[in-house]
Amino acid sequence: MGKTKHGGPMRLPKTPKPGLWVSPVPLGLGKVKPHHIMETAKTVWRNRDNLPYAWRILTQGVCDGCALGVSGLRDRTLTGPHLCTTRLNLLRLNTAPAIPDDILTADTDELRRMSSAELRELGRLPYPMIRERGERRFRRVSWDEAMDRIADKFRAVDPKQAAFYLTARGLTNETYYMAAKTARFLGTNHIDNASRICHSPSKTALKRSIGIGASSCSYTDWIGTDVLVFWGSVAANNQPVSTKYMYAAKRQGTKIIVINPYREPAMDGYWIPSIPESALFGTKLADDWYQVNIGGDIDFMNGVMKHWFEMEKREPGSALDLAFISKHVNGLEELRAHVAGLDWDDIERGSGLSRERIAEFAELLARARSGVFVWSMGLTQHRFGTDNVTQVVNLALLRGFLGRAKCGLMPIRGHSGVQGSSEMGADPFSLPGGDFDPETIARIEKLWGFDIPKWQGDIVGVTLENALLPDDHERRLRLFYTSGGNFLETMPNPDRIRQSLENIELRVHQDIILNTSMLADAREAVILLPAKTRYEQEGGGTSTSTERMVYFSPEIRGPRIGEAREEWRIFLDLARRVKPEEAARSMKAESADEIRAEIALAAPNYDGIQHLRKQGDFFQWGGAWLCEGGVCPTPDGRGRLIPIASPGIRRAAGAFLATTRRGKQFNSMVYGSVDPFNGALREDVLMSPEDAAELGIADGEAVVVHNRFGRFYGRLRTAPVARGNLELFWPEGNVLFPSGVYEPHAGIPEYNTEVKVEQADVFYARKDRKYRTKEAEVPEEDGLPAGAAGAGAQPCRTE
Ligand code: SF4
């Protein structure tokens, strides 16, 4: 852990810098770009029935959107206001009134005709509801009736047949902690959270290389670093205020490099509303782009290292930070030998970039005295996501970009709860303050006062597959308790997910709004439990940002919805109903303050959380830099270079590599059918103009994207995408991805695949004789290994 404290917010220069402008034409007239003023006006209109409360949430609460982190309208990086349209879009979730009773109890088939966006617009869940098998409508029940029914089921099933899941939007550390404790109290280790489909490989890779599970640096390190690299991350879209930090960085001479198959317009230029010159003329963000193939990052980074080792041969010290390596890093010779054995032709073919371009990037980094590497799901959502991230760590270790000012490794998080969820133990490989290992288990058992089950819990994807096991299987999922989460719209292969959801005996959805997954049938019943938002919770709550800043969000005065309850209180209630006598001894916390006091004991990094009580309170665990001075929290204090083999992705002739991207949305919540940055519609398939010309398909023509797993009906849209690659919107594109294929170390599902694209007319003309869809087997020729699906299969470990 670092000793140096965060230096506090920095100031932006007051004078403009026209050299950074996108265009001298004011307000980006004639350009495709978001219209922040109009978006703000729409937010005011949408919240017009509850404006004072909406304002109090914005000015007093901690944002429930992404994990950039802000308390009220202030952050710890820059002075000045911090607000974005993502937060404004989410605001209505907090200010909406209750769903009217007649809609809540409408025929389920009517509700099923609505999209998730339409269901969201209905308002908040006000009461516990139940729908028994065969019933067409939900009916209102009392909290006692709902909780007793759930408790009875918990008592009736083997704990290995019950599982918990928690989303990351808006949940607080207090909720994660109580859920993690309750699951273990009830005897199950099947508990997982939303990081499983976004950043689980980041934690796994960082742990195995340098012993940490979080960002090593702070956002202030972006500002003035020599090189700021965004790897598979469109921070300008997903963490919009990060553009302000990028602007500040550029004002200090930082070079911004983006590595991504698609030249994302949001990272090219952005109109930052809170900076007058940028709001008027825009700011050029990326200085250079490396358009790698989907899944080509490992090859690219191997190429960078190969170039460095060649430079070193000619002139030792010209590429590597040899002093840092000798003092703080193991594994140099193994890595050197591995890279020496690689062939440049393979590297070029895999990465999609020429040797010369790779050398340019390598030399830029070699010249840099400091660097910060930021990455996101372009690296993690692969079946080799942990290896992707490991390569980034390898680069940082070779250049000594760790544990000092303006240097670091940052897995930038998209959900306000993702960082805290695992740190509170809400995943099968973690307990509060540690991994699921004998030492931590013993420590936590002593604190909690009950035995923790010792068997390995399943990740959420395996849990859902366990619902399809034979009835007598010991891990056949019979009871599933999910706080948030809409699996039909987040997991690959939605049809199979539906089968799983319908095959569970009792499903409990604890949430603030309705979503499509809740409407799926169950073998016995579906129960809906109304949750409070983070702003309604008595005693407030905390959440942890990407840069490990733990912010306190107070309870905010305003209307309250029906019988909605604090989420941590619901978990506590459940534990007490299932095992009242034991709970009287072990589940004693009665308030948010008491939970925070317990967290401080359970998770040593969170010592300090017990003092957070009022608006604006915060602390950063671990100090400004983890691994400060290059000393890692590994057994010998050193970082570990790990040779990584190429995943060897090769497209079949005429096929494309496909991946997903986000538009106007917050995770699976879509807020607009048109992408404000490129004008694309949700059904658009982005492809390079050269590939489109080769296929003879014109812009706007109907296409079918297909493979063995499914078909996607869309329209072609040409865009600056690397040749041979294409991008679809998420989650719409999920129909093309196989289920049961997980990254072996961290369990993230595979969200990339090989596809063919045809004009719709051509496809229909020959579909019956030529194509089959959705075969159960994962095809060998797609290069996708069969996943470790099924009972007790444990493909994943946090190393
Ligand atoms: S950038 Fe993220 S943390 Fe900041 S206001 Fe927007 S959604 Fe919230």
Side-chain angles (χ1 to χ4, degrees), residues 200-269:
S200 50
S202 301
K203 178 180 171 190
T204 309
L206 287 168
K207 278 245 164 190
R208 78 175 178 181
S209 291
I210 53 176
I212 63 173
S215 171
S216 76
C217 60
S218 307
Y219 304 123
T220 45
D221 291 307
W222 293 16
I223 302 166
T225 185
D226 283 356
V227 191
L228 176 58
V229 182
F230 288 89
W231 221 302
S233 162
V234 191
N237 189 17
N238 300 315
Q239 294 88 6
V241 177
S242 66
T243 54
K244 203 169 163 185
Y245 309 163
M246 290 183 224
Y247 170 87
K250 291 187 74 83
R251 292 301 305 259
Q252 293 205 14
T254 297
K255 270 205 173 330
I256 296 182
I257 308 295
V258 183
I259 298 163
N260 202 50
Y262 174 36
R263 191 173 168 129
E264 286 279 356
M267 295 296 283
D268 229 348

Side-chain angles (χ1 to χ4, degrees), residues 519-795:
L519 304 176
D521 290 331
R523 273 169 70 160
E524 288 175 8
V526 178
I527 292 178
L528 311 182
L529 299 178
K532 284 184 173 177
T533 69
R534 65 166 55 176
Y535 309 116
E536 296 164 355
Q537 295 191 54
E538 194 187 321
T542 58
S543 68
T544 309
S545 75
T546 292
E547 60 173 352
R548 298 171 276 104
M549 214 58 93
V550 185
Y551 288 105
F552 179 78
S553 192
E555 181 183 359
I556 295 174
R557 183 170 49 83
R560 295 295 175 258
I561 300 292
E563 296 177 357
R565 290 186 176 173
E566 286 83 5
E567 300 212 42
W568 58 263
R569 209 184 282 286
I570 307 172
F571 288 118
L572 190 58
D573 183 12
L574 177 64
R576 288 173 173 173
R577 281 174 202 259
V578 180
K579 297 198 265 183
E581 280 161 28
E582 285 177 53
R585 292 192 297 275
S586 310
M587 306 292 284
K588 289 193 201 147
E590 287 290 353
S591 68
D593 270 341
E594 285 178 26
I595 297 172
R596 285 190 282 277
E598 205 176 302
I599 293 172
L601 298 174
N605 284 340
Y606 277 74
D607 189 7
I609 194 172
Q610 68 275 33
H611 306 306
L612 306 184
R613 290 219 163 82
K614 60 180 192 316
Q615 183 199 334
D617 283 356
F618 72 94
F619 73 101
Q620 184 182 37
W621 73 253
W625 310 298
L626 301 183
C627 306
E628 189 167 347
V631 180
C632 298
T634 50
D636 63 359
R638 295 167 72 89
R640 182 177 158 212
L641 293 166
I642 303 175
I644 300 293
S646 164
I649 294 176
R650 298 288 179 265
R651 283 184 294 127
F656 287 83
L657 300 170
T659 194
T660 60
R661 63 186 296 278
R662 277 59 172 169
K664 186 172 177 175
Q665 67 193 90
F666 178 72
N667 294 286
S668 63
M669 290 184 219
V670 177
Y671 281 98
S673 54
V674 180
D675 185 324
F677 292 103
N678 62 4
L681 301 173
R682 303 289 305 180
E683 66 267 27
D684 282 353
V685 178
L686 305 187
M687 181 188 281
S688 76
E690 296 83 1
D691 284 335
E694 217 162 76
L695 289 178
I697 307 177
D699 240 324
E701 273 195 279
V703 290
V704 179
V705 183
H706 61 100
N707 61 13
R708 292 183 178 216
F709 310 113
R711 294 171 187 169
F712 179 86
Y713 303 93
R715 291 188 329 160
L716 187 124
R717 187 178 187 91
T718 53
V721 181
R723 289 206 64 180
N725 298 262
L726 55 85
E727 302 220 349
L728 305 117
F729 282 96
W730 184 89
E732 289 86 343
N734 282 356
V735 290
L736 293 165
F737 303 119
S739 54
V741 180
Y742 302 109
E743 198 274 349
H745 305 285
I748 202 164
E750 171 70 270
Y751 283 95
N752 308 277
T753 189
E754 188 178 275
V755 294
K756 293 220 162 151
V757 182
E758 294 193 67
Q759 249 173 344
D761 291 353
V762 175
F763 178 85
Y764 289 123
R766 57 188 186 181
K767 75 177 165 57
D768 292 336
R769 62 193 154 82
K770 206 162 167 220
Y771 304 120
R772 293 172 300 155
T773 57
K774 297 186 186 242
E775 293 189 355
E777 292 293 307
V778 176
E780 297 258 315
E781 61 266 38
D782 279 359
L784 300 172
Q794 281 310 315

Side-chain angles (χ1 to χ4, degrees), residues 63 65-70 82-84 86-87 239-242:
C63 178
C66 84
L68 207 64
V70 58
H82 174 138
L83 183 63
C84 79
T86 300
R87 189 176 185 189
Q239 294 88 6
V241 177
S242 66

Side-chain angles (χ1 to χ4, degrees), residues 84-100:
C84 79
T85 51
T86 300
R87 189 176 185 189
L88 293 176
N89 283 330
L90 291 172
L91 197 52
R92 188 62 182 154
L93 290 174
N94 300 296
T95 65
I99 303 171

Side-chain angles (χ1 to χ4, degrees), residues 426-485:
D427 86 37
F429 310 113
S430 305
L431 285 168
D435 292 338
F436 192 75
D437 55 37
E439 197 186 316
T440 312
I441 291 172
R443 183 175 64 77
I444 294 295
E445 280 183 336
K446 203 163 157 208
L447 178 74
W448 285 352
F450 58 81
D451 287 346
I452 293 171
K454 307 297 183 297
W455 47 272
Q456 179 62 60
D458 286 330
I459 58 169
V460 66
V462 173
T463 288
L464 287 168
E465 283 158 26
N466 288 350
L468 299 173
L469 289 170
D471 280 352
D472 59 355
H473 197 287
E474 68 159 4
R475 289 202 184 207
R476 158 85 166 83
L477 182 66
R478 296 171 64 192
L479 168 54
F480 188 45
Y481 191 120
T482 176
S483 163

